[in-house]
Amino acid sequence: MSTTPLTSSVSSRLSSSGTANALELRDVSKLFGALAALADINLTVRPGERRAVLGSNGAGKTTLFNCVTGDFHSSTGTIRFFGEDVTAFPPHERIRRGLRRTYQISQLFAGLTVIDNIYLACCGVSRQRFSFFRPGRQDALMASAEDLLHLVHLETVRDTEVSALSYGQQRQLEIAMALAGAPRFILFDEPAAGLSPTERRELIEILTALPSHMGFIIIEHDMDVALRVAESVTMMHNGRIFKEGKPAEIENDPEVQALYLGGGDG
């Protein structure tokens, strides 16, 4: 795989971050009144690690993501991102430090083309920001957008309006936009939800082809997708970490099968 602005920029950032873990949560809890949506979460993810967070509805997975991104402020505990304490940082400061996220509900510009959406995402995280002049193909940010277009297999719909895309193609576009600006770490929030079997296979191919130094956490109800793209798994139940292990260990664990596959409420 040839070096692109995406891979070289991330490599530079990672080398400057030393040996710090990509993500560390220590005793993180999130209370909504008397309800503990998260309780004493301790989680460590290494740079470049791909981790799946699984659990039934209500287990606390999305709340976990919201605390990591700063959409929610944790009630207790500490969150570190590549060694830096970001617990009190607002979302935009975490984005500036290389954290990205996709959402369960699409957040795309439906009236614009695929390449325009990706280009705007690149502008939004660059120092250059926005210009009133339409970029040419030699524009550095447009070149980055074209690289991302290729990475998520959307070349054939480059100039198609988002409103005309299939649901699966929209999810692929969201991944491209999350990759804008060479992030250090990405949170994927149920990217396979609503996809056909063919689209799921495409998603697996895209995620496994990401640069090896780019770590991520994936929340996913589709256990087959999650276990095929992750090297480690965290199971959650009732706002707590229930079990951790390698994909094969989690898949064959009787307690996990009883809770998750058996439809235990969470």
Side-chain angles (χ1 to χ4, degrees):
M1 187 179 196
S2 61
T3 300
T4 67
L6 175 69
T7 57
S8 61
S9 177
V10 176
S11 296
S12 173
R13 288 181 179 182
L14 286 175
S15 63
S16 67
S17 67
T19 58
N21 288 310
L23 189 65
E24 288 186 42
L25 278 68
R26 291 292 173 262
D27 301 316
V28 170
S29 298
K30 178 59 182 176
L31 304 177
F32 295 100
L35 172 66
L38 293 178
D40 302 320
I41 298 296
N42 287 284
L43 181 70
T44 300
V45 185
R46 305 182 311 276
E49 182 180 345
R50 282 101 190 269
R51 181 180 294 247
V53 174
L54 305 178
S56 50
N57 288 331
K61 305 183 300 297
T62 297
T63 301
L64 176 70
F65 269 21
N66 285 334
C67 287
V68 171
T69 59
D71 292 319
F72 291 165
H73 284 294
S74 57
S75 301
T76 64
T78 303
I79 300 173
R80 292 184 178 276
F81 186 63
F82 285 92
E84 183 177 14
D85 186 344
V86 298
T87 309
F89 285 12
H92 70 271
E93 289 293 343
R94 304 185 198 205
I95 291 172
R96 286 183 59 192
R97 284 157 175 77
L99 180 65
R100 300 288 189 276
R101 177 191 181 171
T102 66
Y103 290 83
Q104 292 179 32
I105 300 174
S106 296
Q107 298 188 340
L108 304 172
F109 299 104
L112 299 180
T113 65
V114 169
I115 193 62
D116 284 344
N117 269 264
I118 302 175
Y119 177 75
L120 287 174
C122 292
C123 288
V125 293
S126 75
R127 294 181 179 179
Q128 179 176 325
R129 298 294 178 175
F130 299 100
S131 169
F132 289 105
F133 298 99
R134 189 168 185 83
R137 285 182 178 263
Q138 300 306 311
D139 180 277
L141 292 180
M142 180 57 74
S144 295
E146 297 283 358
D147 287 339
L148 294 174
L149 186 80
H150 174 73
L151 193 64
V152 299
H153 307 170
L154 289 178
E155 301 98 320
T156 59
V157 291
R158 179 188 188 277
D159 299 310
T160 301
E161 284 193 6
V162 168
S163 58
L165 298 179
S166 70
Y167 183 72
Q169 289 171 328
Q170 290 186 24
R171 301 314 297 258
Q172 289 169 236
L173 176 56
E174 289 168 352
I175 292 173
M177 294 174 71
L179 291 169
R184 292 198 278 180
F185 200 81
I186 308 175
L187 307 176
F188 292 114
D189 197 346
E190 297 193 27
L195 300 189
S196 68
T198 299
E199 290 169 334
R200 286 189 180 93
R201 288 192 292 271
E202 184 93 359
L203 173 66
I204 290 170
E205 185 178 337
I206 290 169
L207 294 181
T208 54
L210 291 178
S212 60
H213 46 247
M214 187 177 292
F216 62 75
I217 296 177
I218 180 172
I219 288 175
E220 189 51 67
H221 277 291
D222 188 321
M223 206 165 183
D224 181 59
V225 170
L227 297 182
R228 288 184 63 183
V229 301
E231 60 190 282
S232 55
V233 182
T234 296
M235 291 291 305
M236 294 187 66
H237 181 58
N238 289 340
R240 297 179 180 273
I241 291 179
F242 170 63
K243 191 158 291 194
E244 294 186 306
K246 299 296 183 183
E249 296 170 344
I250 294 297
E251 188 174 21
N252 296 315
D253 187 281
E255 290 183 298
V256 170
Q257 292 176 356
L259 176 66
Y260 190 78
L261 300 180
D265 61 358

